[in-house]
Amino acid sequence: MELPRIVVVGKEVIGKIGETLQDLELGTRAIILSGPNVRDIVSGPVNNSLKESGFSCSWELVGPSNFEEVERVTSLTKSKQANFLIGVGGGKSIDIAKLASFNSKIPFVSVPTSASHDGISSPFGSVKGLDRPYSIVAKPPIAIVADTNLISKAPHNLLVSGCGDLISKKTAVKDWELSHIKTGEYFGRYSANLALLSANMIMEDAGMISAISEEGISVVVEALISSGVAAGIAGSSRPCSGSEHLFSHAMDIVAPSKGLHGEKCGMGTIMMAKLHGLDYGEIRKTLKIIGCPVRANQIGASSEEIVKALVLARSIRRERYTILEEARLTEDSARKLALDVGVIP
Ligand SMILES: [Zn+2]
């Protein structure tokens, strides 16, 4: 298993990033990847802190999230002889840092500016242009520096999406258990329990999270980090991604750009929980409290798109056994399922 060596979560911790990284013996040359807005906001304190701690760094703006961009950053890493990469951002910059550092066999540091999914700490990266809609295996970050003050300024729907991604561990773990029984697939109790713990934290603290307090944001950030760590321990995304993620990936195909990853996973969790015989009402209630979409029209999707995605989901990742193999949803049974749990009217 590969795990991060340092995880720092707290107010203004980004201004101490140099000190935080000093003991890791990463070498002195870093390339920092981000978008233009993030650079404008944080480059001052980050550059100062890194320089004070003896690092030399250059800032690089990342382009579109695709393989060409990963290749470009990989070559840049070689030509600049960088010792490590720092990805600062929501998803794209961290994914590109993760994949380019994996290609270059150097470590990377994750500095999330929002809490929208568990990719901030997981070994899995996702860019467009893959031959499949799900993530590929790379390496987890060597360090995570999560500044809750910075994250609290991100749009609210990103935090809400992170909660949807976390609640989805409820059905992901059930799918993994089911596969263990039905196919004999290895099941890691420790990583499964760690992933479930992340989901349960969101269930328990939903009220605090909905109040958008600093404390609530810390809960979500820490839960996302431990969920990514659970995947690192399992050596696969199994504890974090099951049938509900297949539904989300299917929605990416059926209705691209409608809803965020975690929003679609949350909605998928309600429906897959019903198939698993779990208390889907409790999951739905929690998502509602947090402000996470529970109905198709809240993400601008039609009933037809939801039904299509439910039917398509099973064919997306056939090697991954889930409840969808047993349910074998048809258009009629998919419609009934979405209707029964209130996702479509
Ligand atoms: Zn996810």
Side-chain angles (χ1 to χ4, degrees), residues 97-235:
K98 189 183 286 181
L99 297 173
S101 67
F102 182 64
N103 286 348
S104 312
K105 299 187 173 64
I106 56 172
F108 92 98
V109 177
S110 170
V111 183
T113 55
S114 68
S116 58
H117 57 83
D118 56 21
I120 59 176
S121 61
S122 78
F124 307 99
S126 169
V127 289
K128 292 203 177 79
L130 293 170
D131 54 353
R132 51 202 165 160
Y134 49 88
S135 308
I136 49 174
V137 185
K139 266 179 160 214
I142 190 136
I144 303 164
V145 178
D147 191 318
T148 48
N149 189 42
L150 191 63
I151 292 168
S152 70
K153 291 179 180 134
H156 183 58
N157 63 337
L158 296 176
L159 184 76
V160 156
S161 174
C163 294
D165 202 14
L166 283 165
I167 273 186
S168 75
K169 311 324 169 203
K170 286 260 179 203
T171 43
V173 168
K174 267 279 172 201
D175 281 320
W176 194 13
E177 268 179 323
L178 180 72
S179 174
H180 174 63
I181 295 163
K182 292 293 170 80
T183 72
E185 182 187 344
Y186 164 78
F187 176 76
R189 190 159 303 280
Y190 182 82
S191 55
N193 283 342
L194 189 58
L196 275 184
L197 177 72
S198 305
N200 289 335
M201 281 173 74
I202 299 305
M203 305 282 284
E204 280 160 25
D205 292 333
M208 192 166 75
I209 295 163
S210 71
I212 326 178
S213 62
E214 188 92 16
E215 212 184 344
I217 288 166
S218 290
V219 168
V220 180
V221 172
E222 285 175 18
L224 285 172
I225 292 172
S226 67
S227 158
V229 166
I233 292 171

Side-chain angles (χ1 to χ4, degrees), residues 265-278:
C265 289
M267 222 178 267
T269 306
I270 303 172
M271 297 186 281
M272 301 310 151
K274 168 106 166 67
L275 291 180
H276 272 295
L278 293 172

